[in-house]
Amino acid sequence: MATYTIEEINNLLKGELIGNTTQHIEGPEQLNHAKKHHITFIGSSKYLKFWNDSEASAVLLNDNLTLEPGDNRAIIKVKNADLAMAKVLELFNPPAPEFEIDIHPTAVIHDTAKIGNGCKIGANCYIGKNVVLGNGVTLYPNVCVFDETTIGDQTIVWSGTVIRERCVIGSHCIFHTNVSIGADGFGYRPSDDGRGLTKIPQIGNVIIGHYVEIGANSCVDRAKFSSTIIGDGCKIDNLVQIAHNSVMGRSCIMAGHSGLAGSVTLGDGVIIGGSASIKDHTTIESGATVGAGSGVMNNVKAGETVLGYPAQNAKAMLKQWVAMRRLVKK
């Protein structure tokens, strides 16, 4: 197990070291669970009161906060404790599961597929006709990549993921377990005879940019025509639904259980809170935020924060809630 002195950690973070500890650090941990061999972090003043009761020997502290280290304990002041902790986590991050053989003999790879240098393909993977894998792509066991799909360099696809035909995936992406890319969009219309529903063919594809991360059990549906698009740097949580012909700009965030209906457009840097739902054909402009649990029925302006159901300006919605409380108390 790797251990580090507090000086080694501070050299990595380039912070301000206050106090000292002779304890070697064996890993990071949250305040209330930390032991003497742990380093923890505090990014908000409301957690300062828990430092004295914590057993941690060291803490990463936002530089706008003040704290006394105590005996044989150390503080590393940094601009952003959350980001500093991310670097510490990298120090102690266990290696990914190893491949004993780069391409497992049980993998089924079509003769026309092109496999880049340094790719790793696990047991029972399927790679279809005319698939192209860039250099250093990793497919963990039981991944399916269907015909004419392209995956860029250094992308990692975890077990159970299915990438349907004709999709285009960028480089340095991460798809966690059981992600679905390119399933049919949800398109039906009442049949002419009135006896059921007619399925609308979904002949488009999915295009995903570079450095995109998609959480477990999330779905990105193919377009009815043209493409469903996820821009560079987007981060998508578990159990998220992105419907056909939606377009996400760069560096958007979608938290768990949120969803985009068909033909939604997100600008750059949009944040969608957990369990929020976005109505079809809605546009949310760059820099906007949708609060958790909200239902967006209309377009949202750039930089605006909306909340509630139906979602509206967050400040206006909070005023309404306060007014309703007062009425109830009366």
Side-chain angles (χ1 to χ4, degrees):
M1 179 184 295
T3 65
Y4 298 89
T5 66
I6 194 63
E7 291 84 2
E8 289 173 327
I9 293 175
N10 187 50
N11 288 339
L12 168 70
L13 301 177
K14 295 178 172 57
E16 177 189 357
L17 181 60
I18 301 173
N20 202 0
T21 180
T22 57
Q23 177 70 49
H24 278 62
I25 303 301
E26 297 179 13
E29 186 53 271
Q30 60 190 30
L31 264 172
N32 58 334
H33 291 163
K35 302 300 181 184
K36 288 185 177 180
H37 57 272
H38 287 138
I39 186 170
T40 189
F41 73 107
I42 297 176
S44 170
S45 59
K46 67 182 179 180
Y47 296 106
L48 292 174
K49 60 186 177 182
F50 300 115
W51 169 240
N52 288 337
D53 293 330
S54 176
E55 297 181 32
S57 292
V59 60
L60 307 176
L61 184 71
N62 275 16
D63 59 11
N64 62 337
L65 301 176
T66 300
L67 197 64
E68 290 297 323
D71 185 40
N72 197 30
R73 304 177 90 189
I75 295 170
I76 298 177
K77 280 200 166 186
V78 291
K79 184 176 181 180
N80 187 312
D82 285 328
L83 294 179
M85 179 53 77
K87 293 182 179 180
V88 173
L89 285 165
E90 288 179 2
L91 282 179
F92 295 96
N93 191 18
E98 294 183 2
F99 283 72
E100 294 183 358
I101 183 170
D102 284 351
I103 299 180
H104 198 276
T106 61
V108 177
I109 303 174
H110 195 276
D111 291 343
T112 59
K114 296 180 180 179
I115 310 300
N117 296 326
C119 289
K120 297 182 184 299
I121 301 172
N124 300 314
C125 286
Y126 173 81
I127 299 176
K129 183 179 179 181
N130 294 323
V131 166
V132 177
L133 301 186
N135 297 327
V137 171
T138 298
L139 307 182
Y140 282 97
N142 301 309
V143 168
C144 292
V145 182
F146 285 92
D147 299 2
E148 298 177 8
T149 286
T150 299
I151 299 179
D153 297 348
Q154 306 300 323
T155 285
I156 298 171
V157 184
W158 285 91
S159 297
T161 292
V162 176
I163 303 174
R164 288 274 302 273
E165 62 274 13
R166 305 189 310 280
C167 292
V168 179
I169 312 298
S171 61
H172 299 277
C173 294
I174 302 173
F175 299 158
H176 292 279
T177 49
N178 299 320
V179 167
S180 171
I181 305 294
D184 283 1
F186 191 67
Y188 298 90
R189 291 292 181 271
S191 59
D192 289 337
D193 59 13
R195 296 189 178 188
L197 297 172
T198 298
K199 181 176 174 63
I200 305 300
Q202 308 289 298
I203 66 171
N205 71 341
V206 173
I207 298 176
I208 295 177
H210 307 303
Y211 295 95
V212 172
E213 186 163 358
I214 301 180
N217 297 298
S218 290
C219 302
V220 183
D221 290 347
R222 71 174 54 250
K224 179 164 64 176
F225 30 68
S226 188
S227 302
T228 303
I229 299 173
I230 298 179
D232 293 347
C234 288
K235 309 300 179 186
I236 297 166
D237 199 359
N238 301 336
L239 297 165
V240 170
Q241 163 67 14
I242 299 173
H244 58 183
N245 288 96
S246 287
V247 176
M248 297 175 63
R250 296 173 298 165
S251 300
C252 296
I253 294 174
M254 292 187 66
H257 287 267
S258 61
L260 307 181
S263 299
V264 169
T265 299
L266 304 185
D268 297 338
V270 171
I271 298 174
I272 307 293
S275 299
S277 300
I278 317 301
K279 178 182 174 293
D280 60 291
H281 297 274
T282 299
T283 296
I284 301 177
E285 296 181 7
S286 295
T289 298
V290 177
S294 298
V296 176
M297 311 296 287
N298 298 297
N299 295 343
V300 179
K301 295 178 181 179
E304 186 177 13
T305 297
V306 296
L307 184 64
Y309 191 94
Q312 57 182 297
N313 181 274
K315 290 182 180 179
M317 178 58 74
L318 290 171
K319 287 179 181 178
Q320 287 185 31
W321 288 346
V322 170
M324 290 177 65
R325 275 188 171 183
R326 289 173 178 168
L327 288 171
V328 170
K329 287 180 179 179
K330 291 180 180 179

